[in-house]
Amino acid sequence: MTSSTPHSGPGGPRALDRMPFFDNAKFLLIALVALGHTWEALIPPHGAPVLRAVHNVLYGFHMPAFILLCGYFSRSFTGRPDQIRRLLSGVLVPYLIFETIYSFLYHWLRGTDLAITPTSPTYLCWFLIALFVWRLTTPIWKAVRYPLPIAIVVSLVAGTTPISGDLALARVLMFLPWFVLGLQLRPEHFARLRTRTARLLAVPVFVGVFALAYWLFPYLNDDWLSSAADNTALHVSPGQDLLTRMALFAVSALLVASFFALVPGRRMWLTGLGAVTLYPYLLHGIVLRVSEHYGAFRGVRQAGLPGVLVLSAIVVGVVVLLSTPPVRAVLRPLVEPRFPKWLVPRAEAVPAPATVPTAAAEREKTLAR
């Protein structure tokens, strides 16, 4: 149960970390990520303005919101050895594993040269290496004053600077403000969005941004929303790049706030699935690329809107399937590998005296995952 107004009692901001709201948001976001990738395969280069507008609205908030949550749940990261080990086993190793898998997949499906290059992320693997870098920088943002304005400046400068594709650095820098914003947020900030007024305002925001995206259909390049290209690649001047990115930041902020306002706060069938979003994130791309290779989308394009709606429902079903216990049990060694005990320093391997965990310690443990 979610409180609609911030307060300090049971169910208030301090308890919000443990409420279903965040897991609901994470599942909805991962489903939207899969839908966005699927719609990309359906949209022709110069057609389908309605679907393209929906796609652009989606890309205006789904990754910023997901990255913001990653920052929010990184607030307790200080670089302790146990946190570094979780970061290595939970983010870096899965990145290396799936970077290898996607390299083989692209070689098989597209005939590309088989070259496993961990410094050049393939397809959706960029997010893992970006998260690895962002989380490592968390102590820096805690150590400086005005972290969010600094991160915004870094992001804007990155948009006017030629950057190589190594380690998805362009996206790491351009999406950085959303991670830093998440680090600054507290439960009470999310609680302020759990009001009836915020929910009522969220709907016209989405409608208005959709109308804007539809109007800008011929002009809005996907590279603006993917944050992977500098101003020279976008063929605009540095001044145009800065103004456009600031406008996109403002629109994305409205969409992110509206999305969180609409996320259900009660426990639902999707709540438990929101705790395991890494599985559908890493796996749905394999299903999508294989389906695309074997022509699964040709009939959908010909069927028009009904075909898109049916395929979208199937995609959500696949996301649910990839989140289920049987799939996780089989693929856990790839997605959630354990850190080898023999690599833990001997002094830390000695169990500490048993203590009764406090509520604060339990909350820190949850946030550090």
Side-chain angles (χ1 to χ4, degrees):
M1 182 172 62
T2 303
S3 174
S4 61
T5 56
H7 61 276
S8 57
R14 292 186 179 275
L16 193 57
D17 288 339
R18 300 186 297 275
M19 296 178 72
F21 168 79
F22 289 109
D23 283 336
N24 292 344
K26 288 190 292 182
F27 176 82
L28 292 173
L29 286 170
I30 203 63
L32 291 173
V33 168
L35 286 171
H37 287 155
T38 303
W39 293 340
E40 281 181 355
L42 298 175
I43 300 173
H46 304 290
V50 174
L51 184 57
R52 173 66 71 182
V54 173
H55 168 274
N56 288 345
V57 172
L58 178 61
Y59 271 68
F61 76 91
H62 75 330
M63 287 313 299
F66 212 100
I67 295 166
L68 182 149
L69 288 180
C70 289
Y72 179 78
F73 287 107
S74 298
R75 292 175 300 155
S76 65
F77 185 87
T78 59
R80 296 194 317 264
D82 61 312
Q83 293 177 327
I84 294 294
R85 284 193 289 271
R86 283 197 294 272
L87 185 60
L88 291 173
S89 63
V91 178
L92 184 60
V93 174
Y95 165 71
L96 295 174
I97 291 172
F98 278 87
E99 177 62 28
T100 302
I101 291 173
Y102 275 100
S103 296
F104 276 96
L105 183 72
Y106 273 48
H107 174 67
W108 168 42
L109 298 179
R110 299 187 173 183
T112 58
D113 294 336
L114 181 57
I116 301 172
T117 53
T119 58
S120 300
T122 303
Y123 194 26
L124 47 71
C125 293
W126 74 267
F127 179 73
L128 287 185
I129 196 63
L131 178 58
F132 182 77
V133 174
W134 288 326
R135 189 161 287 180
L136 282 178
T137 67
T138 297
I140 296 176
W141 303 111
K142 291 181 176 181
V144 300
R145 196 176 184 186
Y146 310 121
L148 183 57
I150 293 174
I152 291 174
V153 170
V154 170
S155 176
L156 293 174
V157 170
T160 58
T161 306
I163 299 175
S164 73
D166 291 344
L167 301 180
L169 189 56
R171 282 173 163 168
V172 168
L173 297 177
M174 291 189 206
F175 278 124
L176 176 64
W178 298 106
F179 183 82
V180 176
L181 175 59
L183 291 173
Q184 310 307 306
L185 295 180
R186 296 296 179 265
E188 53 266 26
H189 296 123
F190 288 97
R192 292 191 185 111
L193 293 174
R194 311 304 302 146
T195 64
R196 186 171 181 271
T197 300
R199 287 191 288 270
L200 290 175
L201 291 174
V203 175
V205 166
F206 274 105
V207 172
V209 175
F210 169 79
L212 178 64
Y214 184 83
W215 177 61
L216 293 174
F217 162 69
Y219 313 104
L220 189 59
N221 190 310
D222 282 350
D223 289 334
W224 284 109
L225 299 172
S226 64
S227 295
D230 60 72
N231 68 293
T232 55
L234 293 167
H235 307 292
V236 297
S237 68
Q240 289 175 307
D241 185 272
L242 290 173
L243 290 174
T244 303
R245 291 194 189 279
M246 286 190 289
L248 288 175
F249 271 134
V251 173
S252 292
L254 281 173
L255 290 173
V256 168
S258 299
F259 167 77
F260 284 127
L262 294 174
V263 170
R266 64 187 183 280
R267 183 165 294 278
M268 305 171 66
W269 63 268
L270 54 85
T271 303
L273 304 179
V276 293
T277 51
L278 192 57
Y279 286 85
Y281 180 80
L282 290 173
L283 298 172
H284 85 271
I286 298 174
V287 178
L288 175 60
R289 288 299 184 232
V290 172
S291 301
E292 185 179 19
H293 177 74
Y294 286 104
F297 298 153
R298 291 174 192 153
V300 175
R301 295 190 189 98
Q302 296 172 354
L305 180 59
V308 172
L309 294 176
V310 170
L311 179 61
S312 299
I314 293 173
V315 169
V316 174
V318 169
V319 171
V320 172
L321 177 64
L322 296 177
S323 307
T324 55
V327 173
R328 301 202 311 268
V330 172
L331 297 176
R332 184 168 287 114
L334 300 179
V335 181
E336 295 182 287
R338 294 181 180 274
F339 192 87
K341 290 185 178 180
W342 59 271
L343 282 178
V344 179
R346 187 172 299 175
E348 293 188 35
V350 177
T355 57
V356 178
T358 63
E362 286 297 312
R363 184 161 57 251
E364 179 182 3
K365 180 180 179 182
T366 300
L367 294 174
R369 287 176 183 168

